[in-house]
Amino acid sequence: NPDPQSVAAALLRPGHYTAKVDPLADKRFLHEAGFYYCDTLIEPWCTADKLACFDDPQVTFSKTVALEPLAAICRSAFLHGRFHRDFNIAAARADHRYENWLCQLHAEGRVFGLLYGGEVAGFIAHIGGSLVLHAMGETHRGRGLAKYFWSAVCRHLFAAGQTEVRS
């Protein structure tokens, strides 16, 4: 991670500069030194013939899962999300922004509640073939379950006529 003095010294020489920083680090010093920070976005995509599926009989999903258990997951899932990494946005406002987005997508019928053994485990929201917001509940994180949920939802989207799925 570059220190603020070396960043400021670099600005004394004309040119275009790129600084690689830890994505979870505070970017305020870059902004104060005159840099414009942006995340690099890699957008994975897949077609039905390339989808590698993983199955678990306890994994199901539903569009009829109530909003509140999904919102509870949302409130603790995005601590390192792009809104939380923006030093101009307070953490509480960033949380609220994600929750509002989830509420909007849920009202539009674009949210799959993810169930593991019948228990709410997370959600995946989509707009067509784009998976735009997804999270796992704290008790289901780190257990290797995401691949099963993603497989099931992607398989469903392809069966519903999507030609590719993006995240």
Side-chain angles (χ1 to χ4, degrees):
N1 286 335
D3 65 88
Q5 288 132 347
S6 63
V7 171
L11 290 176
L12 297 175
R13 295 184 306 269
H16 175 82
Y17 296 92
T18 300
K20 183 175 180 178
V21 296
D22 179 339
L24 302 180
D26 187 343
K27 313 306 184 296
R28 187 179 326 262
F29 77 91
L30 289 172
H31 179 75
E32 290 168 354
F35 278 83
Y36 173 79
Y37 177 79
C38 65
D39 283 325
T40 301
L41 177 65
I42 298 172
E43 185 178 39
W45 63 275
C46 184
T47 55
D49 62 314
K50 302 287 185 192
L51 181 64
C53 286
F54 299 88
D55 295 306
D56 182 322
Q58 295 195 70
V59 165
T60 58
F61 61 91
S62 172
K63 284 203 171 190
T64 62
V65 174
L67 177 60
E68 182 45 40
L70 306 179
I73 291 169
C74 187
R75 288 190 282 272
S76 68
F78 298 105
L79 301 178
H80 300 297
R82 68 177 184 244
F83 301 132
H84 285 83
R85 290 193 315 262
D86 185 337
F87 58 84
N88 293 304
I89 301 174
R93 290 184 58 95
D95 288 336
H96 192 65
R97 192 162 184 182
Y98 281 109
E99 190 171 351
N100 283 345
W101 191 14
L102 174 64
C103 290
Q104 175 190 349
L105 292 162
H106 191 274
E108 295 170 355
R110 299 179 183 279
V111 178
F112 294 108
L114 307 176
L115 306 167
Y116 191 75
E119 178 184 341
V120 174
F123 62 84
I124 296 178
H126 70 99
I127 297 175
S130 293
L131 308 179
V132 295
L133 188 65
H134 35 84
M136 296 295 291
E138 195 169 335
T139 60
H140 292 88
R141 289 182 206 148
R143 295 173 48 189
L145 299 174
K147 65 183 166 279
Y148 303 112
F149 289 115
W150 281 70
S151 293
V153 169
C154 289
R155 197 171 18 232
H156 172 80
L157 291 172
F158 286 131
Q162 296 300 322
T163 56
E164 68 181 26
V165 174
R166 297 177 173 276
S167 174

